[in-house]
């Protein structure tokens, strides 16, 4: 007898694949003259990636892509969904067959040699230029590794002008001399650099000892350009520390990028002498300077300025804000809403009403919908 | 152009589609509408295989599916959890209606009840009919959908075996009722609950209250974990908490580690084949999947048996290995070693010789075994001890 056919028939499931804004992983094989062979890479583009646009995205290079790529893209997709980090392009390099030789170093100099140096050059001279040519990548690059590859990424710090601005090292298997050399190198870094290091209380004990020593070295370095964070996770081993560490690393690196939260609003925006709008401008300039790419003003931050302007009765800030909203979000209800708020604050109810009404035809946003505009309209009409 | 020529990177788009996310449209009678699903099958999923897979249902699939999929992929790579089927339900603008609840009980009503029925009576049966699913079902929910997943605990037999609550926004008396329900559960349930010090304060408070209530529960069937992540918000806590939850829920499935060996196996009373058989029976029982004991684990057990100077376990593990994989030389080798060490030389030689015709395994290859036989033959010649055959 057929197993419960009626049940199967009850719900007709059509398995249609449809295009949407969601991202898919691109699998490519890249032929490398440095390596003298080809390599499998995996690429994840941001949701809604448009090759014709002029937006540039940070590039995240993931070694040991065989197993590290997926948890990284899961986190990048999630945290950029909530605006806690910029949308980014992620490339993973598969190394399962070549790991030992790729990540090897000389027994004498303790720097990459032979296969190790070929792999080093492959990333710097082939993979990154390739990604830059083909995709909209910014100059802000991060490199991620685990175990042997977490050690290897440190070699990139010894270049005069390092290729990467962010280094994420999960339980590195640290090579001889590395600790000393980093101790000498880190104080001389000239560009803003982020470094994340993690171990766990059940990590491989020989690795852990060296990691703790490396942490001591980092902790002793006084270079304002170096932004460093260390985690020693409780109840985590060599592998489980990765899932715990990724969000910590991301949040550390993109701390400045985050939308304005309650704390920043209270402590920084409200108290900023030149007013909340100027605070916003400064914040976004800092972001551009720090990360080397522009951030579109997010609605959350516009709301924060409006709240602060109203609270402090700062009409100028509200005026500037309504202009900014109009410039950045002309197709959205955002532009009409903040223009209305400005005129309302200025006492020009007629113009406020006009703006709210014109907004009804525009697109809803995350925070503003038709009902909100209608409420505003009825409010003003009631007053008249 | 020079730049392009510099590295002659010929680009080949290769057609390997490795575990891509499938998107399906599901026509639901209960909801009277169509729902989008994201489905991720295990990397080498074979519909004709007998292998069964746990199912992880992810609510708010538009943003929560990807981090779950990433974590699962990482853990399965190291065999730290079974290969699983992940299903994300896209909710988008329907979220408010999907999560609709009774103000007093926090349980789904009206459109919320319909969404509940869709999951329990349509989606899960569909998945069970279409894919090789095991009985082990996991629900993942964040915020108000975290409240929602708890309602599945209240059916006569809970719909899910594991509940991953990521900063759930408990409504009405849900938190209190969950603690009561967990107290008289008969089925084994994993319950994971997380908040953070930077969480929305009302949510943080009610989670702490619920945690206090659940900690008072004394029920063997319940495995409970709680985390308060430091320095995280209602949103940033999600991925770290997910990795913790997955790690904990599938702890039993993981290969033997240092800790288990020292704390449980070394002091185990009885022979080690019993220990490992029980352990794997429990995996089978809990997750509804068959996991073979790996050769690595057999090796580890032999090592521990040697450390315990427990010759009987060496023999029994050999026998168990033989039963599981009669073609490999492994089991026979250790049975022979046992015979050798107990002085039954003749039997040892016989067993070693029979091991020779079996498949090599790691260091136990033909040469290795031959070396043993030669050594033993010498011993035999020198001492001329006749051993009675058999045990």
């Amino acid at each position: 007898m057929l197993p419960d056919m009626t049940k199967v028939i009850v719900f007709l499931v059509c398995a249609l694949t449809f295009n949407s804004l969601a991202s898919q992983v691109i699998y490519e094989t890249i032929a490398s003259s440095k390596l003298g062979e080809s390599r499998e890479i995996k690429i994840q583009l941001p949701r809604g990636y448009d090759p014709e646009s002029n937006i540039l995205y940070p590039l995240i290079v993931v070694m040991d892509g065989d197993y590290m790529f997926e948890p990284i893209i899961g986190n990048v997709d999630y945290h950029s969904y909530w605006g806690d980090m910029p949308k980014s392009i992620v490339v993973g390099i598969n190394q399962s067959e070549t790991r030992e030789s790729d990540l090897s170093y000389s027994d004498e100099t303790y720097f990459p040699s032979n296969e190790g140096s070929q792999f080093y050059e492959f990333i710097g001279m082939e993979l990154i230029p390739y990604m830059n040519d083909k995709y909209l990548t910014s100059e802000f690059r991060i490199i991620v590794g685990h175990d042997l590859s977490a050690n290897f990424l440190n070699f990139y710090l010894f270049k005069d002008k390092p290729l990467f601005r962010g280094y994420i090292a999960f339980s590195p298997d640290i090579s001889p001399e590395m600790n000393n050399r980093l101790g000498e190198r880190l104080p001389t870094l000239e560009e803003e650099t982020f470094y994340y290091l993690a171990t766990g209380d059940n990590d491989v004990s020989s690795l852990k000892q060296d990691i703790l020593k490396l942490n001591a070295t980092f902790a002793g370095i006084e270079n304002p350009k170096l932004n460093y964070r260390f985690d020693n996770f409780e109840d985590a081993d060599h592998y489980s520390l990765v899932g715990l560490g990724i969000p910590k690393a991301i949040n550390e690196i993109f701390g400045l990028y985050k939308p304005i939260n309650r704390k920043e609003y209270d402590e920084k925006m409200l108290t900023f002498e030149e007013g909340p709008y100027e605070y916003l401008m400064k914040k976004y300039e800092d972001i551009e300077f720090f990360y080397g790419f522009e951030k579109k003003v997010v609605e959350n931050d516009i709301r924060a300025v409006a709240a602060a302007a109203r609270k402090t009765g700062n009409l100028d800030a509200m005026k500037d804000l309504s202009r900014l909203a109009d410039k950045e979000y002309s197709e959205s209800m955002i532009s009409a809403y903040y223009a209305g708020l400005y005129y309302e604050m200025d006492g020009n109810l007629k113009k406020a009403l006009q703006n709210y009404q014109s907004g009804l035809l525009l697109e809803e946003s995350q925070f503003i919908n038709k009902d909100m505009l209608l409420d505003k309209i009825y409010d003003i009409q009631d007053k008249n | 152009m020079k730049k392009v020529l510099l590295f002659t990177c010929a680009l080949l788009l290769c057609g390997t589609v490795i575990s891509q996310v499938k998107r399906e449209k599901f026509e639901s009678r209960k909801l009277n509408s169509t729902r989008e699903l994201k489905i991720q099958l295990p990397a080498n999923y074979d519909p004709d295989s007998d292998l069964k897979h746990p199912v992880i249902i992810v609510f708010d699939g538009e943003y929560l599916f990807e981090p779950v999929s990433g974590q699962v992929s990482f853990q399965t790579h190291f065999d730290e959890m079974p290969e699983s089927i992940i299903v994300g339900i896209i909710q988008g603008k329907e979220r408010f209606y999907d999560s609709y609840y009774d103000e007093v009980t926090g349980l789904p009503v009206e459109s919320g009840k319909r969404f509940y029925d869709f999951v329990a009576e349509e989606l899960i049966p569909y998945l069970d009919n279409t894919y090789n699913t095991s009985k082990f079902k996991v629900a993942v929910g964040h915020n108000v959908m975290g409240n929602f997943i708890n309602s599945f605990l209240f059916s006569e037999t809970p719909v899910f075996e594991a509940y991953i609550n990521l900063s759930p926004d408990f409504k009405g008396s849900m938190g209190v009722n969950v603690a009561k329900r967990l107290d008289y559960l008969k089925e084994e349930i994993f319950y994971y609950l997380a908040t953070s010090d930077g969480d929305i304060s009302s949510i943080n408070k009610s989670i702490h209250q619920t945690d206090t209530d659940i900690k008072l529960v004394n029920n063997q069937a319940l495995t409970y974990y709680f985390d308060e992540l430091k320095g995280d918000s209602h949103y940033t806590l999600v991925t770290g908490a997910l990795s913790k939850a997955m790690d904990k829920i599938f702890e039993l499935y993981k290969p033997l580690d240092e800790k288990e060996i020292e704390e449980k196996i070394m002091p185990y009373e009885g022979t080690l084949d019993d220990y490992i058989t029980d352990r794997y029976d429990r995996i089978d029982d809990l997750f509804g999947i068959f996991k073979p004991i790996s050769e690595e684990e057999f090796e580890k057990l032999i090592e521990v048996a040697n450390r315990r100077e427990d010759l009987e376990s060496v023999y029994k593990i050999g026998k168990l290995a033989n039963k599981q994989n009669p073609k490999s030389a492994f089991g026979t080798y250790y049975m022979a070693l046992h015979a050798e060490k107990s002085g039954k030389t003749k039997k040892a030689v016989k067993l070693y010789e029979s091991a020779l015709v079996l498949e090599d395994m790691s260091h136990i290859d033909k040469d290795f075994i031959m070396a043993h036989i030669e050594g033993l033959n010498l011993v035999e010649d020198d001492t001329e001890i006749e051993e009675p055959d058999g045990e």
Side-chain angles (χ1 to χ4, degrees), chain A residues 12 14 16 18 22 24-25 27 29 31 47 67 70 75 77-79 84 130 235 239 243 247-248 251, chain B residues 10-12 18 20-21 23 25 27 36 62-63 66 70 73-74 77-78 230 232 235-236 238-239 243 248:
Chain A
L12 295 162
C14 17
L16 297 170
F18 40 90
Q24 285 281 14
V25 174
Y27 295 88
T29 303
R47 295 188 189 201
Y67 62 92
E70 285 75 15
N75 269 276
D77 187 73
Y78 177 83
H79 292 287
D84 281 324
Y130 168 69
D235 198 14
Y239 301 102
K248 295 291 177 201
N251 283 300
Chain B
L11 283 161
L12 302 164
I18 312 157
Q20 286 283 26
V21 177
R23 299 192 141 239
K25 281 191 173 173
E27 253 180 55
E36 288 179 38
E62 58 266 52
Y63 66 86
E66 285 74 12
S73 163
F74 179 81
H77 183 90
F78 295 103
K230 302 283 173 266
D232 279 308
Y235 299 97
T236 63
V238 163
T239 57
S243 77
K248 287 293 168 197

Side-chain angles (χ1 to χ4, degrees), chain A residues 104-328:
Chain A
S104 63
Y105 45 83
S106 152
D107 287 342
E108 286 151 25
T109 65
Y110 305 119
F111 276 115
S113 65
N114 303 329
E115 282 113 335
S117 65
Q118 286 163 15
F119 186 71
Y120 184 89
E121 290 182 352
F122 161 68
I123 290 184
M125 297 167 75
E126 295 182 335
L127 181 66
I128 289 176
Y130 168 69
M131 293 300 294
N132 289 346
D133 276 355
K134 191 159 177 191
Y135 302 103
L136 298 166
T137 50
S138 80
E139 287 297 303
F140 191 82
R141 285 182 287 271
I142 299 171
I143 187 161
V144 186
H146 174 239
D147 192 278
L148 280 180
S149 59
N151 175 64
F152 194 81
L153 54 78
N154 291 303
F155 292 126
Y156 289 98
L157 275 165
F158 298 106
K159 284 209 161 194
D160 281 346
K161 198 175 175 308
L163 276 170
F164 299 97
R165 297 276 303 279
Y167 299 79
I168 302 179
F170 295 114
S171 188
D173 187 346
I174 300 164
S175 51
E177 288 304 312
M178 183 60 87
N179 194 334
N180 292 337
R181 286 172 179 165
L182 284 174
E184 284 165 23
R185 172 61 177 134
L186 295 170
T188 65
L189 285 174
E190 284 166 3
E191 230 182 342
E192 294 282 350
T193 303
F194 300 86
Y195 198 103
Y196 179 81
L197 179 65
T199 182
D201 55 6
N202 294 327
D203 201 351
V204 181
S205 53
S206 56
L207 299 188
K208 193 180 164 183
Q209 280 173 12
D210 286 345
I211 293 169
L212 294 177
K213 280 182 206 153
L214 185 63
N215 175 46
T217 300
F218 267 97
I221 284 167
E222 282 178 30
N223 180 351
K225 297 287 180 191
L226 177 68
N227 302 274
Y228 171 66
R229 179 184 167 120
F230 172 71
D231 276 310
N232 184 356
F233 291 107
E234 261 174 56
D235 198 14
D237 62 24
H238 190 55
Y239 301 102
S240 62
L241 63 86
V242 170
L244 296 169
I246 295 171
K248 295 291 177 201
I250 284 176
N251 283 300
E252 182 66 19
I253 293 178
F254 294 108
L256 183 66
Y257 182 91
K258 288 176 178 298
I260 295 165
N261 60 18
R262 167 61 62 179
K263 195 166 172 238
E264 185 177 355
Y265 173 82
D266 283 338
E267 290 173 12
K268 293 186 178 163
M269 183 178 258
L270 279 180
T271 58
F272 196 69
E273 218 169 286
E274 293 143 77
Y277 181 79
E278 288 307 320
Y279 178 81
L280 185 78
M281 290 300 102
K282 185 181 174 304
K283 181 181 164 84
Y284 277 76
E285 274 165 27
D286 285 350
I287 289 175
E288 195 174 342
F289 174 75
F290 223 60
Y291 300 115
F293 54 83
E294 215 175 308
K295 180 183 179 182
K296 186 179 168 76
V297 181
V298 294
E299 190 181 0
N300 171 79
D301 294 356
I302 293 178
R303 267 162 51 105
V305 176
R310 292 216 281 183
K311 186 167 179 161
T312 55
N314 188 334
L315 188 65
D316 286 342
M318 192 58 113
K319 189 177 181 182
D320 290 336
L321 184 71
S322 70
R323 283 198 183 134
L324 176 77
D326 190 51
K327 190 175 128 227
E328 295 282 340

